[in-house]
């Protein structure tokens, strides 16, 4: 039975050739622990996805129920506090690892020809990671989250100095109205759980495809 499934897949996707291609790639001799930061970022991102899926089972993205749903998750759900803490602290580790990864890539010339596409996709992934942090920080909808959201969404108002009315439109779009409320929270939740993950997966596909083609950058 197992061999028949394997043969069926082999005939269609050539698993053996894919496996041989992966195994044939050797690790350059100059690679050391400082080249592991990118892998740590990917590992923490996967951890974020897994724990985030668990949190979505209990989280309610409205201004009236968001905080209560988090409180219920922490106090009533088995391992709820552990899952939320894992999600929260792994996000901090992800950001720290990302900063170290960016510095390592810059110092080893990873942005130079022919690796510009790897660098550009990495920069976009960095901004995406920051967006994850901004949107996720507001989801508990406690006092800290509320005022953080208010400050962040007020930043685009400065665009009115460039083009009158533009900043007001951007702020209103982010908040879903003139002030913060359930519309704001639902938009941040949609960004955090749907739009940003999808965009991140696309960028990761480009990033790793180019990295596999061009290889790891040189030593320090």
């Amino acid at each position: 039975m197992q061999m028949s499934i394997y043969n069926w897949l082999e005939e269609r996707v050539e698993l053996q050739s894919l496996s041989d291609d992966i195994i044939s790639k050797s690790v350059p001799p100059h690679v050391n622990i400082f080249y592991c930061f990118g892998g740590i970022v990917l590992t923490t991102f996967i951890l974020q996805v897994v724990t985030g899926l668990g949190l979505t089972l209990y989280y309610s993205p409205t201004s009236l129920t968001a905080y209560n749903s988090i409180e219920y998750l922490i106090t009533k759900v088995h391992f709820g506090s552990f899952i939320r803490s894992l999600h929260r602290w792994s996000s901090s580790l992800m950001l720290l690892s990302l900063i170290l990864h960016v510095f390592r890539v810059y110092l080893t010339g990873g942005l130079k020809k022919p690796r510009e596409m790897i660098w550009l996709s990495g920069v976009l992934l960095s901004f995406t990671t920051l967006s994850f942090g901004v949107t996720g920080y507001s989801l508990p909808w406690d006092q800290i989250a509320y005022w953080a959201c208010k400050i962040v969404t007020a930043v685009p108002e400065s665009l009115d100095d460039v083009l009158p009315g533009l900043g007001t439109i951007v702020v209103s779009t982010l908040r879903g109205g003139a002030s913060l409320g359930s519309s704001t929270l639902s938009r941040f939740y949609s960004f955090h759980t749907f739009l940003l993950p999808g965009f991140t997966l696309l960028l990761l596909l480009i990033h790793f495809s180019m990295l596999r083609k061009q290889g790891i950058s040189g030593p320090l």
Side-chain angles (χ1 to χ4, degrees):
M1 179 64 178
Q2 292 178 348
M3 287 302 299
S4 62
I5 295 175
Y6 174 81
N7 292 332
W8 187 87
L9 290 172
E10 174 64 26
E11 185 179 353
R12 287 158 178 79
V13 298
E14 300 181 347
L15 291 175
Q16 189 60 49
S17 61
L18 290 174
S19 176
D20 293 340
D21 180 60
I22 294 173
I23 295 174
S24 64
K25 288 284 186 179
S26 58
V27 179
H30 65 270
V31 171
N32 51 42
I33 191 173
F34 296 106
Y35 286 76
C36 296
F37 293 126
I40 296 175
V41 175
L42 177 62
T43 302
T44 51
F45 173 72
I46 295 173
L47 187 59
Q48 288 280 287
V49 172
V50 174
T51 55
L53 287 173
L55 294 176
T56 58
L57 297 176
Y58 295 95
Y59 181 73
S60 179
T62 68
S63 58
L64 296 176
T65 59
Y67 181 78
N68 291 334
S69 65
I70 294 294
E71 188 177 37
Y72 176 81
L73 174 73
I74 295 174
T75 58
K76 302 296 183 181
V77 178
H78 291 298
F79 300 106
S81 179
F82 173 75
I83 294 174
R84 180 174 182 261
S85 296
L86 196 59
H87 190 77
R88 180 179 181 181
W89 289 108
S90 62
S91 66
S92 299
L93 178 59
M94 181 179 176
L95 184 59
L96 175 61
S97 302
L98 176 65
I99 294 172
L100 295 174
H101 179 60
V102 170
F103 273 109
R104 197 280 303 165
V105 172
Y106 181 81
L107 292 174
T108 56
L111 69 164
K112 298 179 181 178
K113 183 181 178 180
R115 297 185 175 87
E116 299 95 335
M117 289 297 294
I118 303 176
W119 173 258
L120 289 175
S121 61
V123 170
L124 290 175
L125 282 168
S126 299
F127 282 113
T128 304
T129 302
L130 292 176
S131 299
F132 270 119
V134 170
T135 53
Y137 196 78
S138 301
L139 295 184
W141 211 242
D142 52 8
Q143 284 294 316
I144 297 177
Y146 176 86
W147 290 107
C149 183
K150 188 175 182 66
I151 293 171
V152 168
T153 55
V155 171
E157 288 181 351
S158 59
L159 294 174
D160 283 336
D161 297 334
V162 179
L163 183 63
L166 178 61
T168 303
I169 294 174
V170 174
V171 171
S172 179
T173 302
L174 289 174
R175 293 179 175 178
S179 60
L180 300 180
S182 292
S183 296
T184 312
L185 191 58
S186 62
R187 289 174 189 231
F188 272 53
Y189 180 72
S190 297
F191 277 116
H192 192 76
T193 57
F194 295 105
L195 298 179
L196 289 176
F199 188 54
T200 300
L201 290 175
L202 177 62
L203 289 174
L204 283 174
L205 180 62
I206 297 173
H207 193 71
F208 285 113
S209 297
M210 295 303 299
L211 180 62
R212 182 158 183 79
K213 181 176 178 59
Q214 300 297 342
I216 301 173
S217 57
L220 289 169

